[in-house]
Amino acid sequence: MDKIALTPKTHTTPPAKFSHGVRKGNILQVAGQVGFLPAEEGKPPTPAGPTLREQTLQTLDNVRSILEEGGAGWDDVMMLRVYLTDVDHFAEMNDLYNAYFEAQALTQPPAARTTVYVGLPPGLLIEIDALAVLDSPGVA
């Protein structure tokens, strides 16, 4: 089975040797995503805004873009890992997360974990990665 690197048109080329997502067979791993707005040629990546709300919703959209690029959707996600830069953001992130996934009409929610991680670039408040398992091992 080939390993297929995934970079949606909305994403910039990664700054190092990694992919935004990788699919091999029916496994799709989404690399950690942050709340950057869709890429614009010639412009550096720009955060969706200074608030946790703006960045969380954009980060979830960025994860979804990679899932879709790999032929997956939210119902295929087995695990989400959320990294926050501030312990005081837990409650707000949980509210945003719950509302977002309620709107997605998931059949079952994925497993998830949240941790505080202070190593994100300045101004970024959240990072999310995902692991999806698709029904079929076919190529995207």
Side-chain angles (χ1 to χ4, degrees), residues 9-30:
K9 290 181 173 96
T10 55
H11 287 57
T12 59
T13 300
K17 274 300 221 190
F18 68 88
S19 300
H20 287 291
V22 174
R23 179 168 174 183
K24 185 169 183 176
N26 66 334
I27 305 293
L28 192 162
Q29 176 66 55
V30 176

Side-chain angles (χ1 to χ4, degrees), residues 72-89:
W74 286 118
D75 272 323
D76 298 307
V77 174
M78 300 296 292
M79 180 69 175
L80 281 173
R81 285 171 291 270
V82 179
Y83 305 91
L84 297 173
T85 59
D86 188 332
V87 71
D88 292 333
H89 289 162

Side-chain angles (χ1 to χ4, degrees), residues 34-52:
V34 294
F36 286 142
L37 292 168
E40 290 186 47
E41 193 169 332
K43 291 189 176 181
T46 305
T51 68
L52 182 66

Side-chain angles (χ1 to χ4, degrees), residues 74-130:
W74 286 118
D75 272 323
D76 298 307
V77 174
M78 300 296 292
M79 180 69 175
L80 281 173
R81 285 171 291 270
V82 179
Y83 305 91
L84 297 173
T85 59
D86 188 332
V87 71
D88 292 333
H89 289 162
F90 268 93
E92 182 181 0
M93 192 284 301
N94 284 339
D95 289 343
L96 293 164
Y97 179 96
N98 288 338
Y100 182 88
F101 283 112
E102 186 174 311
Q104 303 304 309
L106 292 178
T107 57
Q108 295 292 323
R113 74 169 313 245
T114 302
T115 191
V116 176
Y117 172 73
V118 293
L120 293 177
L124 293 177
L125 304 173
I126 187 167
E127 180 177 348
I128 300 174
D129 71 64

